[in-house]
Amino acid sequence: MQTEVKEKPRYALVASVQLPDVSDIEFEASLAELSELAKTLGFQVVQTFVQKRSSFDRTAYLGVGKLEEVSTFVNRGVRNDELETGSPALESDTVEFDVLLVDHEISPSQARNLELAVGCPVMDRTMVILEIFHRNARSRAARAQVEIARLGYMAPRLREAAKLAGPQGRQRSGMGGRGAGESHTELDRRKVRDRIAELQREIIAMELERKTQRARRLERQGQGLGGVSLVGYTNAGKSTLMRALTGSEVLVANKLFATLDTTVRALYPESVPRVLVSDTVGFIKNLPHGLVASFKSTLEEALDAALLLHVIDASDPGFLRQLEVTDEVLQEIGADEVQRIRVFNKIDHVGDEAEQAAWTAELQQRYPGCVVMSARRPEEVASLHATIVSFFQQDLVEDELLLPWSAQQLRGDIYSHCQVLEERTEEEGSWFRVRGEPEKLRSLREQLNPGMQGREKEYWEV
């Protein structure tokens, strides 16, 4: 009989310094976000230590007094009655803490001194995000992009590591594969540069392959193809909305950065023109610049789209900050010119029906033209579906086509590329009143018997 192995809980502490130019609301939101990031990595945050300072301590990030407080807490253990409100109950009165999470990016020397002072491993915010990306990357392109970001994060830290290592880090030798006068650290840095260059070449090759595949897809589908990209803050419900709009099984998880690889599916029920929906990686405040750059190819789905659905968590008190972050990242990748619809999702998480109605009215007043909905309500998904279809049908024109009995093999093309408004039959064949793109209608007309098309206007006027 097999017994289920229970995974050992992993406990984390959080430390953060509030600078004078950071408001209390923004500070609390950032701490809450770091706790969610920790949850994604499998940590339970037990205690949070905060300190107000004019600047970070250059030696160990926190001031001396706060360092002593954290060290005492780590070394003497903790009891359940000492936990912060809302913190998880511990399985025993005394625990060993796995990590101290810092809500900023700190230098290697600060991290080392902080670790020595408190007696606990340290991860800064950037390292946490990189680790999440590393764990969640699935495709070859995403894994390569994450590795570039991780190596870029490590490279400047090798210089700091050499300073901490002292004379050993500056040893010179011509042995062991190193060039004359090349130190251990210089060799490591060269390896990092070579590996980054190798990965960049791989990504360029993959980008060319994706562009070829995209061109073939467009060629197969013809010109009647629309593109929609879901963008927005991580955990805003993009994947749930993607599944609802496309009827597909995509990963849905209540954690940050559950989706890293771009997923493309057709809008369902299908429409004319056919619309492809893509789900992109979520944005987050203080996303490492290396990740923004390395994930540019992933986010390029947003550049290719004719329409962006900017998904926002309507139930999050900090949604304004999330709006700003998304706008900044979209501007950084050059997607801020693409037409956009703001979709306030998760309205069902806002109180009772009366509170939901009041918040919906306020959002619609603040952001005219926005959509307020829940991706778990079929009727509201259907309404958004109709809005998307209407966007892509605004340039369609109505026309009349006669499909002769001798060309019935083109019936499928008419239904695939046009919205059929009416169909009638008579001696010459089937008459269609259709709505479609002008270029596609012209192409269909050329394939049909040109001698029969002159009677269309006369037929529909009778």
Side-chain angles (χ1 to χ4, degrees), residues 2 6 19 29 43 113 122 294 379:
Q2 285 186 333
K6 188 174 182 181
L19 300 177
F43 291 112
N113 292 331
V122 171
S294 64
E379 68 279 5

Side-chain angles (χ1 to χ4, degrees), residues 16-31:
S16 185
V17 171
Q18 183 177 3
L19 300 177
D21 60 343
V22 178
S23 68
D24 291 343
I25 294 177
E26 186 177 1
F27 184 69
E28 290 298 330
S30 186
L31 285 175

Side-chain angles (χ1 to χ4, degrees), residues 143-189:
R143 287 196 297 268
Q145 291 158 347
V146 170
E147 187 176 350
I148 286 179
R150 281 162 64 92
L151 291 171
Y153 176 79
M154 287 170 50
R157 283 155 175 76
L158 293 174
R159 292 190 292 269
E160 293 288 342
K163 296 176 185 177
L164 294 174
Q168 289 184 341
R170 295 188 293 272
Q171 279 184 345
R172 297 182 179 274
S173 171
M175 304 294 290
R178 298 194 302 273
E182 188 173 28
S183 70
H184 286 285
T185 303
E186 289 167 345
L187 174 62
D188 290 339
R189 288 170 57 191

Side-chain angles (χ1 to χ4, degrees), residues 21-69:
D21 60 343
V22 178
S23 68
D24 291 343
I25 294 177
E26 186 177 1
F27 184 69
E28 290 298 330
S30 186
L31 285 175
E33 191 170 85
L34 183 60
S35 293
E36 284 298 312
L37 291 168
K39 176 182 173 183
T40 301
L41 280 182
F43 291 112
Q44 297 178 15
V45 175
V46 172
Q47 189 78 5
T48 302
F49 298 90
V50 299
Q51 184 176 34
K52 292 187 177 183
R53 289 176 57 95
S54 59
S55 62
F56 305 140
D57 183 84
R58 293 184 178 182
T59 303
Y61 177 69
L62 297 172
V64 175
K66 186 60 65 173
L67 285 175
E68 292 179 357
E69 180 183 341

Side-chain angles (χ1 to χ4, degrees), residues 232-307:
Y233 216 71
T234 183
N235 209 30
K238 297 189 304 301
S239 295
T240 302
L241 184 58
M242 172 82 168
R243 185 169 65 176
L245 287 172
T246 64
S248 61
E249 291 298 326
V250 295
L251 176 64
V252 177
N254 184 27
K255 61 182 183 178
L256 303 188
F257 298 119
T259 302
L260 293 185
D261 300 302
T262 300
T263 305
V264 182
R265 297 287 186 273
L267 188 67
Y268 182 83
E270 291 197 9
S271 61
V272 175
R274 189 165 183 256
V275 177
L276 296 183
V277 185
S278 62
D279 184 14
T280 61
V281 62
F283 305 141
I284 191 169
K285 186 185 178 186
N286 297 329
L287 183 69
H289 289 292
L291 279 177
V292 174
S294 64
F295 267 77
K296 188 174 181 181
S297 59
T298 302
L299 296 172
E300 277 179 355
E301 290 290 345
L303 292 174
D304 293 336
L307 176 67

